Amino acid sequence: MRKWLIYALLAILLYAFPWLIPSSYFVHMAQGFLYTYIVVVGLNLLVGLSGQLSLGHAGFYAIGAYTTALCTLANVPFLLSLVIGMAACALTGAFVAMLSLRAKGPYLAMVTIAFGLLIEIVANRWVDVTGGPAGLYLEEPSLFGFRLGVVEYYWFIAFITLVIAALVDNLFTSRIGRTFRAMGNSEVAAATVGVNVRNWKVLAFSLSALIAGVGGALFAFQNAYFNSDSFTFDKSILFLIGVIVGGAGTRLGPVIGTVIIFLLPQWVQSLYDYHLLIFGAILLFSLIVLPDGIVGGFGRLMGRRKQLTTAHSVVEDTAEEKSDDVRWAAERQETVLDVEHVVMEFDGYRAVDDVSLEMKGPEVRGLIGPNGSGKSTMVNLLTGVYVPTAGRIRWNGRDVTSFAPHQMAAVGITRTFQNLQLFGEMTVLQNVMVGFHLHYRTGFWANLFHTAAFHREERQFAAEALRLLAFVGMAEKAEETAANLSYGEQRLVEIARAMAVRPQLLILDEPAAGASHYEVEKITKVIRNLKDVGISIILVEHHMEIVMNVCDHITVLDFGKKIAEGRPEEIQNHPQVIEAYLGGEEVSKLVVGT
Ligand code: ADP
Ligand code: MG
């Protein structure tokens, strides 16, 4: 209700603007503001949510402008031209994303700079088509035979802006937005709950490019003329300033960011020779002093962090429900993990050396060994983070040796991390809800339009996430921002998130590391309960009292080699194990369990 009220109010305000301020100069300004805002909103989706950087968005802005303009010059109706322009941008966006997929951080930035420059050069030099610096003259746009004057065109832009703002806001508050944000927070964690990070990156890039293209197309028809001077590198920087200074990943940030980049060029006009320097300084200053932008900084002052809205009522409704309701694994299958002679080499160094491992049915398997003995590497092999140099991994009879993490999740293997990998910006509940990634049934459009099915599913999974949180004893922290939790609490939330995948095999990499004594007890209890639910568990742990108490079998690694395997009492007295621990500096590990 409140949402619709806000949209209605905005719509009335935008509609009335030309009457409130009846000056074509200001209506013109408003047009510029709105289409710039559209671009910033799209870039915010990319930079703020999915954590990818683009320093070439002026390129998409240009493609939107030229494609739409050239289509209308070829007598294609204006609206259809706009749609073609959008499609061209979405495709180029996907293409650029695929080109840069292997690149991250600075390299991704360089790919996007190159793309922006390439488009700028093409716009400038391919005079026959783009008109180059001399530009293109267009007709006034017309809708269904009706010519749009300055005010009508402003209304048209305002309408498009509202639609895009509303839809992007819907994405922000749906699982699509959560997935983008999760990926931006931790790619590897997103992958281990089943997110195909590659595809989702392409989707984010493509969407963002499409939206930038709309902005460009709307710009092109503003004056019935434009030329190649509008698509320079500093335009891309300006868009980025809008996102970052306003507050990347926030919902209000783009509004404030657009105000700033709208005023900025006018402020620096007299210092034109230094404008790039000034832009750069503003970006740096913002990143250092206000890392979450103006909106985020203001939010912190007010004592609250940016959050996605979730179904709050659900939290209250189901907090009471019993925690032992986690029953999906009851139809327990005979899970069979069969690891045959795996080797993992890093530059010739064998971190895992010819290890074989077999698990039949639900059991808790301890994986222990001194520091650096290859336990985490083994976990990475079993969850698809690394592909073994040699050897084979079979899971329920299937060869999964070269599966990627999201494919491992899809067949029922997931994990928690030794070095915590929660989605820090998100709430505890949202973290767990991302865990259901593989189980959502509504598609992109349902999430974009917030259909009834979408709302039903959100409520269902919020309730289920809450049950999982209750299972690990974290229900009362559901609305807390994950980054604010203690180590032990974060480990418990990671377990709840991993359970949301509904795994058959759950691998816990040092779940008690860094936890307080009280939290260690809690975690031990949770592991016991997990075992009762019927999930197979591989437990990597240094706390020997946990290992000896909850494990059915224990496998011991030393220097990447398996040196022993058996029941806890056998392992405790195994001469080679004692030697491995006594031989190094790890004496206390086995004896005291620190
Ligand atoms: P553990 O978890 O048992 O403490 P790890 O599996 O983390 O041990 O590491 C085993 C060995 O492999 C260590 O010597 C470590 O330095 C090395 N290692 C792990 N990952 C990598 C990597 N990505 N590149 C190079 N060496 C690695
Ligand atoms: Mg480790």
Side-chain angles (χ1 to χ4, degrees):
M1 263 317 275
R2 222 184 75 204
K3 187 171 97 180
W4 289 113
L5 215 69
I6 292 173
Y7 286 140
L9 219 75
L10 277 175
I12 292 170
L13 241 142
L14 286 170
Y15 179 69
F17 181 79
W19 280 307
L20 295 176
I21 303 174
S23 134
S24 65
Y25 173 74
F26 280 110
V27 171
H28 203 86
M29 288 268 282
Q31 291 176 346
F33 180 85
L34 291 176
Y35 62 64
T36 309
Y37 171 70
I38 290 177
V39 181
V40 176
V41 164
L43 190 56
N44 186 35
L45 203 64
L46 185 73
V47 177
L49 281 194
S50 84
Q52 294 171 273
L53 196 61
S54 169
L55 281 163
H57 249 47
F60 299 115
Y61 189 71
I63 291 175
Y66 281 111
T67 312
T68 312
L70 291 170
C71 282
T72 60
L73 288 177
N75 288 325
V76 178
F78 173 62
L79 262 190
L80 183 58
S81 304
L82 184 59
V83 172
I84 295 173
M86 286 158 65
C89 285
L91 286 177
T92 347
F95 181 69
V96 172
M98 285 188 230
L99 272 186
S100 56
L101 259 177
R102 301 205 145 259
K104 264 188 211 160
Y107 299 104
L108 173 64
M110 288 202 284
V111 173
T112 59
I113 290 176
F115 164 76
L117 286 180
L118 180 76
I119 299 297
E120 186 183 335
I121 291 168
V122 170
N124 200 273
R125 303 282 167 82
W126 198 15
V127 179
D128 291 344
V129 173
T130 66
L136 285 179
Y137 290 88
L138 308 168
E139 286 191 30
E140 270 182 343
S142 63
L143 279 185
F144 313 112
F146 182 78
R147 282 188 177 280
L148 302 178
V150 175
V151 172
E152 288 92 6
Y153 189 54
Y154 157 82
W155 280 330
F156 177 72
I157 294 179
F159 174 74
I160 303 263
T161 308
L162 261 186
V163 171
I164 288 181
L167 291 182
V168 169
D169 202 55
N170 277 355
L171 280 187
F172 255 69
T173 51
S174 74
R175 79 175 168 95
I176 310 281
R178 278 198 303 269
T179 309
F180 283 153
R181 199 185 284 270
M183 195 169 82
N185 277 213
S186 168
E187 268 179 39
V188 64
T192 49
V193 297
V195 178
N196 185 338
V197 172
R198 229 181 124 83
N199 291 355
W200 281 80
K201 277 185 165 177
V202 173
L203 177 67
F205 221 98
S206 181
L207 268 177
S208 177
L210 179 152
I211 298 171
V214 175
L218 293 173
F219 152 75
F221 286 87
Q222 186 182 23
N223 299 320
Y225 166 82
F226 69 100
N227 67 15
S228 59
D229 294 345
S230 306
F231 311 111
T232 49
F233 179 58
D234 30 322
K235 193 71 149 231
S236 296
I237 301 281
L238 264 182
F239 291 143
L240 196 62
I241 287 179
V243 171
I244 289 176
V245 177
T250 64
R251 292 154 78 188
L252 262 185
V255 180
I256 295 174
T258 309
V259 172
I260 286 167
I261 62 176
F262 209 62
L263 299 175
L264 203 56
Q266 296 167 36
W267 289 337
V268 299
Q269 216 155 39
S270 52
L271 302 164
Y272 187 78
D273 290 343
Y274 304 103
H275 72 288
L276 267 182
L277 195 67
I278 294 171
F279 291 177
I282 291 174
L283 258 184
L284 263 184
F285 178 80
S286 171
L287 284 172
I288 292 166
V289 179
L290 278 176
D292 350 319
I294 292 174
V295 170
F298 192 72
R300 254 200 321 241
L301 272 184
M302 309 298 287
R304 38 182 291 239
R305 300 239 339 161
K306 60 193 168 186
Q307 286 184 358
L308 299 172
T309 55
T310 42
H312 289 268
S313 55
V314 175
V315 175
E316 281 135 37
D317 288 353
T318 46
E320 313 278 283
E321 283 194 40
K322 288 198 47 198
S323 57
D324 55 4
D325 230 22
V326 194
R327 279 282 162 247
W328 62 79
E331 76 262 19
R332 60 176 76 166
Q333 299 172 24
E334 281 301 292
T335 60
V336 179
L337 176 69
D338 201 354
V339 179
E340 298 164 8
H341 305 287
V342 290
V343 174
M344 187 69 218
E345 259 179 31
F346 297 109
D347 300 324
Y349 173 72
R350 292 194 160 200
V352 167
D353 192 358
D354 193 25
V355 173
S356 297
L357 191 85
E358 211 175 309
M359 280 173 79
K360 283 205 168 73
E363 66 157 306
V364 180
R365 170 66 60 99
L367 188 59
I368 66 171
N371 261 335
S373 58
K375 303 181 298 293
S376 290
T377 306
M378 195 66 200
V379 173
N380 284 331
L381 287 171
L382 291 175
T383 51
V385 177
Y386 298 149
V387 174
T389 317
R392 211 153 61 136
I393 304 171
R394 297 173 71 79
W395 169 245
N396 289 334
R398 191 164 167 195
D399 189 338
V400 297
T401 313
S402 52
F403 272 29
H406 70 272
Q407 293 171 304
M408 287 297 198
V411 297
I413 303 177
T414 194
R415 66 177 291 185
T416 64
F417 294 85
Q418 178 176 358
N419 54 340
L420 293 156
Q421 296 283 346
L422 276 186
F423 310 126
E425 289 175 8
M426 301 165 68
T427 68
V428 167
L429 187 72
Q430 288 161 357
N431 265 274
V432 180
M433 286 179 76
V434 174
F436 292 114
H437 183 80
L438 293 165
H439 307 294
Y440 287 98
R441 287 291 158 258
T442 57
F444 180 79
W445 299 108
N447 280 268
L448 185 64
F449 292 108
H450 279 203
T451 61
F454 157 81
H455 284 295
R456 239 187 344 266
E457 196 179 55
E458 281 290 282
R459 273 196 301 274
Q460 177 205 330
F461 280 119
E464 207 171 317
L466 217 64
R467 277 199 290 276
L468 290 176
L469 283 171
F471 183 86
V472 299
M474 290 293 296
E476 69 283 12
K477 301 267 176 150
E479 291 296 306
E480 189 95 38
T481 304
N484 297 343
L485 301 179
S486 73
Y487 270 148
E489 289 173 331
Q490 293 197 37
R491 296 208 178 274
L492 287 165
V493 175
E494 271 205 6
I495 293 177
R497 181 182 66 192
M499 287 177 74
V501 179
R502 298 174 189 163
Q504 278 181 41
L505 173 62
L506 174 56
I507 305 177
L508 305 170
D509 195 354
E510 307 220 8
S516 70
H517 182 67
Y518 167 70
E519 287 165 342
V520 169
E521 273 176 21
K522 238 172 134 176
I523 291 166
T524 313
K525 206 177 122 219
V526 166
I527 296 172
R528 282 225 177 81
N529 291 343
L530 279 172
K531 181 177 161 183
D532 292 342
V533 169
I535 300 176
S536 303
I537 295 168
I538 292 181
L539 174 64
V540 177
E541 190 46 70
H542 269 324
H543 288 69
M544 281 307 147
E545 65 270 36
I546 303 184
V547 176
M548 294 303 165
N549 282 327
V550 304
C551 293
D552 300 309
H553 295 94
I554 296 172
T555 301
V556 189
L557 297 184
D558 191 25
F559 291 111
K561 285 198 165 66
K562 182 162 96 177
I563 57 166
E565 196 162 63
R567 307 193 69 82
E569 55 278 12
E570 296 163 1
I571 294 300
Q572 261 167 327
N573 302 317
H574 196 290
Q576 247 186 304
V577 177
I578 293 170
E579 197 197 301
Y581 276 87
L582 291 178
E585 301 144 17
E586 308 277 336
V587 190
S588 59
K589 290 277 156 52
L590 191 65
V591 182
V592 190
T594 47

